[in-house]
Structure formats: C-alpha cells, structure tokens
Amino acid sequence: MDRKDEIIRLQMDVINQMTRSNLNRIVDDLWGTPTPAPKADAEEQKEKQPEPAKQEAAEEEKPENIEDLKKELAGYIGLEDVKKEVETLINLVTIQKLRKENGLPTNDLSLHMVFSGNPGTGKTMIARLMARIYKSLGILSKGQLVEVDRSGLVAGYVGQTAIKTSEVIEKALGGVLFIDEAYALTNRGGNDYGQEAVDTLLKAMEDHRDDLIVIVAGYIELMQAFVKSNPGLESRFNRFLHFPDYSIDEMMAIFDMRCNQGSYTLAEDARPILRDLLKLKSMDVKGFGNARGVRNLFERTVTAQANRLSTDPDITKEDLMLLTADDIRAAGDE
C-alpha cells in the first residue's frame, strides 16, 4: 500500500468514526436516552445501584397505615352507613388476625361483597379503598383494584369467555376484582355466555380464596336477583353494602370540594341557584348520577367561566378564581 492509499484509508476511518458519533448523538436527541452500555458494564452498574434507591423501591411496596386509611374513610362526604360497615369489617378482620397469631381458632370469613346503589354514589371509590385496607391488614398481597363490567368478561364464542375471564382474574390476583353492573352476567337468559363467566369466577374465588376478593356492584333489586340466581354466588356473597343517593347538602359539599381543589370560589349569590339546580337535576337520579353529576356540572361551570372571561381584556387573579351565578346558569342550560 503506497502513501496515497494509506492517507485515503485513514480518512475513511475518521469519516466512519464521525458518522457513528453523529448517529449516536441523533439517537440521544430523539429518544432522550444514552447509548446502551455493554452488557458487562450494565450488569456492573446494576450491582452498584445506590442503597437509597433500593430502599425507596422497598418502601413503595409497604402497606399503608390502617389508621391513615380510616382517617381517609372518615373524610369522605356522606356515606355514613357505609363508613360504619367498613369500620366494623376492619375491626372484625383485625381481631380475627390477632386470634390467629395467638393460636386461637378463627372463623372462615368471606370478604367478598355486594355493593348496591345508583350511579355516582361512591361504589368504585370505596372498592378502591377496600383494596388498600385489605392490603394494610395483610389480607391481600398487592392491593390493586381491577375494574370490569360484562364486556370485560364475556366473549362472543363458545370457550372464549372462560379464557377472557381467567385473564382478568389473573390481573386481579393479590387485589380486588370489581365487577360493575354484575347482574348483566345472568339476566340475559337463553344461550348467553355470561353464565360461563360466573362459573369461571366462582372457581377462581375458591382456588384463590387467600389472595383474591371480588366485589360486585349494581342497582339494588338487580343485584339481589343476581346473587340469588346461583347457589354458589349466594354462599360466597353474604356481605351487602348499600350506597344511598347523596342529599342536596352533600352534593353542595362535593361541589365546594371541587372548588377548593381547583382554587375556585363560588360567589354567594350563586349558591341558591346551584342548590335549586341540583334539586332539579337530581330528580332524575339515574340520569344525573349523584356525585358524578356534580362533577360534570362543576366542569361545565368552569367552561362557562372560561367563555365569559375570554372577552375580558383585563382579567385579574380574582376573576380567574370566581365562579358566578351566570356561570352556574350557563352550566345548567347545557
């Protein structure tokens, strides 16, 4: 190789090196991640992970303090009877656990539950809290909530429903499986596949009785019929919590809570208008949806405020925080 060829080879090496470097930088800019380290280096870095990071990960897995969860429960608006039932259940589980730890006989508790009530009465919220409570008490290993309805369990062909239901159950293991409008699994009749989902569910409740809790929810009359439709359901679901509709005062308190969370202030002259609107809307309980309806009304009020302020050239901080009587009226007209 003569001198000229050597120079060309060196130039090509430099160009290749620069090209690789530029490509790596482009990848970093696009994806925001460094170029992967060699496997040996990555494993070495993993071994040298700082102890505080490991401790932080471990702390995230710790159960929450049961007293903190009780305070959270007490802070919910309304639901007084539900709160008492949950407190009683916490006490029962706690004492049974202490009896077991002291070598005393314990009752075989069925902790699966039926939640009945109209939409927006807090059923999902309490189900999520129950999952955390059961984890805190050592009943469940993970404490997650998996929420489904009929469509999440039932497939359209023979044999597929069992597979679909089993996949959902697998996700819920260690936590709570919350089935909303559960009555839809058994009230279709004929050759419906809902019964296949129920059979799969009952078997899983037996096989995983130590690390799976199922909560079924829906309208009170339909849920009573659902439980009585199958001896297996009736024997496993013997705890009933009824969620009453929110009163007008409670819905006003929920609206105020939304205002506080979003740094809004409701004008005093808007309060009677809001109260009258809630009375009118809540006459259609199922259509309005209790707390869900209040949330939607609040969001429409905020939208009305935005439309009102959009034409104001001199908006102050107080303007941004104030929800007026006109905003409530506009939200009600929608």
Side-chain angles (χ1 to χ4, degrees), residues 84-133:
K84 290 176 185 175
E85 289 292 334
V86 173
E87 281 270 10
T88 297
L89 192 55
I90 291 172
N91 296 338
L92 177 61
V93 171
T94 301
I95 295 303
Q96 289 294 310
K97 186 179 177 185
L98 287 173
R99 285 180 61 87
K100 186 175 182 179
E101 290 172 358
N102 284 275
L104 295 170
T106 59
N107 298 324
D108 187 12
L109 298 176
S110 175
L111 300 177
H112 308 296
M113 290 181 283
V114 179
F115 286 3
S116 63
N118 288 321
T121 47
K123 297 186 293 295
T124 305
M125 175 181 69
I126 294 296
R128 188 173 291 111
L129 180 67
M130 291 306 305
R132 294 160 59 200
I133 286 172

Side-chain angles (χ1 to χ4, degrees), residues 175-211:
V176 169
L177 175 59
F178 181 77
I179 307 175
D180 198 16
E181 298 181 349
Y183 50 80
L185 294 172
T186 57
N187 66 356
R188 301 295 175 92
N191 297 320
D192 184 68
Y193 299 121
Q195 188 57 49
E196 187 180 346
V198 171
D199 294 340
T200 306
L201 181 65
L202 289 173
K203 184 178 185 306
M205 291 167 71
E206 182 64 28
D207 293 345
H208 304 286
R209 63 171 69 183
D210 294 330
D211 207 19

Side-chain angles (χ1 to χ4, degrees), residues 158-264:
V158 177
Q160 289 187 339
T161 291
I163 296 172
K164 193 173 183 178
T165 302
S166 296
E167 288 174 349
V168 171
I169 290 167
E170 187 66 29
K171 292 178 184 176
L173 288 180
V176 169
L177 175 59
F178 181 77
I179 307 175
D180 198 16
E181 298 181 349
Y183 50 80
L185 294 172
T186 57
N187 66 356
R188 301 295 175 92
N191 297 320
D192 184 68
Y193 299 121
Q195 188 57 49
E196 187 180 346
V198 171
D199 294 340
T200 306
L201 181 65
L202 289 173
K203 184 178 185 306
M205 291 167 71
E206 182 64 28
D207 293 345
H208 304 286
R209 63 171 69 183
D210 294 330
D211 207 19
L212 174 67
I213 288 172
V214 179
I215 297 176
V216 291
Y219 298 115
I220 184 166
E221 300 87 357
L222 293 172
M223 290 310 300
Q224 288 172 345
F226 168 73
V227 172
K228 291 178 180 178
S229 70
N230 185 306
L233 291 172
E234 202 163 8
S235 65
R236 286 171 177 82
F237 291 102
N238 56 13
R239 296 186 182 279
F240 291 77
L241 268 69
H242 178 63
F243 291 70
D245 294 325
Y246 285 102
S247 68
I248 301 302
D249 285 340
E250 288 167 347
M251 286 192 277
M252 289 289 292
I254 292 169
F255 194 97
D256 286 336
M257 179 188 69
R258 292 272 174 186
C259 288
N260 291 334
Q261 290 173 343
S263 294
Y264 288 97

Side-chain angles (χ1 to χ4, degrees), residues 305 309 312-322:
Q305 184 220 40
L309 293 178
D312 188 344
D314 302 310
I315 302 173
T316 66
K317 181 178 179 180
E318 288 70 23
D319 293 333
L320 293 170
M321 296 174 66
L322 185 66

